[in-house]
Amino acid sequence: MLRLLFRLSLLIFALTAVMLALAPLAAPRPVDATPAWTAYGFAACELPCWAGITVGETPFADTVALTAASVPALTSHTIAGSPVFLWGTADPYYFSGLVYLGETTVGRVELSLKLPADYLIARFGLPACVLSGPDVNQAGHLSAIYWGGADWVAAAFVNGSANGLFGPAATIYAFSVFRGNMSPCPKTTAPWRGAAAWWRYTAWIEEQAD
């Protein structure tokens, strides 16, 4: 009887330790904004709004004025109908962006920059879907995490050399917001299952395709 109670106590202790370890992953974690977060225009409004621009709501004609006022790292832009091209060339806040027309409002925003994955996770919450697989354009690995609302999707593409989402190497190199829906997750992705290595997500996606 004592042996049974001892084993039960060990099991409860182990489960408690696991729950405490995973607790930070169950809800958005506080992450202090750095100068880069503000420089790239993320401090201007709450995600999925960026630089004062909300996809599907903000008039496309306001793109230049809003980005000029809200993105300190912006150094130049080019208007070629749609999209509007944006650049930031001031060291160390290099970035580029494209803002696309969707009827009369902004339909899509695409940014190439460099941010820790934790920044977006802390503000969006845990992702909904994960994409993992070979990069068709490069001899490497493609990893992306997705969030979604009723009529919008946000995607963050993560450094393919990262072994896991929460490791120090998990750096976002591209971010986009567009009109759409990710519920349920498409078969080309896997539902978010926690901080696993990317190869695990690749396997889960392959299982869905079988």
Side-chain angles (χ1 to χ4, degrees):
M1 184 66 178
L2 288 174
R3 184 176 296 177
L4 180 61
L5 288 173
F6 179 72
R7 289 179 178 175
L8 184 60
S9 298
L10 285 178
L11 178 61
I12 292 173
F13 176 79
L15 289 173
T16 302
V18 170
M19 290 175 66
L20 288 173
L22 294 179
L25 308 183
R29 292 173 286 172
V31 175
D32 292 333
T34 68
W37 186 258
T38 299
Y40 291 137
F42 288 98
C45 53
E46 293 294 322
L47 293 169
C49 171
W50 168 79
I53 295 172
T54 299
V55 169
E57 296 180 12
T58 303
F60 182 77
D62 294 347
T63 297
V64 173
L66 286 171
T67 53
S70 305
V71 187
L74 180 67
T75 54
S76 60
H77 70 270
T78 298
I79 303 174
S82 174
V84 172
F85 294 84
L86 308 170
W87 289 277
T89 57
D91 185 21
Y93 304 121
Y94 302 107
F95 87 99
S96 62
L98 296 167
V99 180
Y100 292 89
L101 172 66
E103 296 182 356
T104 60
T105 62
V106 172
R108 184 182 185 101
V109 173
E110 296 180 354
L111 303 173
S112 296
L113 38 69
K114 194 171 183 180
L115 282 174
D118 263 2
Y119 279 29
L120 290 177
I121 292 169
R123 287 157 176 81
F124 268 134
L126 297 180
C129 311
V130 178
L131 171 71
S132 183
D135 189 338
V136 296
N137 297 317
Q138 301 177 13
H141 193 84
L142 179 66
S143 303
I145 48 181
Y146 295 87
W147 299 264
D151 58 357
W152 60 267
V153 174
F157 292 87
V158 186
N159 180 358
S161 65
N163 292 323
L165 180 60
F166 292 96
T171 301
I172 291 167
Y173 65 86
F175 174 75
S176 64
V177 181
F178 52 93
R179 301 281 284 178
N181 189 282
M182 290 286 283
S183 180
C185 292
K187 283 194 174 181
T188 52
T189 68
W192 171 254
R193 298 191 188 184
W198 288 120
W199 65 265
R200 292 295 304 276
Y201 275 102
T202 302
W204 288 328
I205 293 169
E206 291 173 350
E207 287 173 7
Q208 291 186 109
D210 293 338

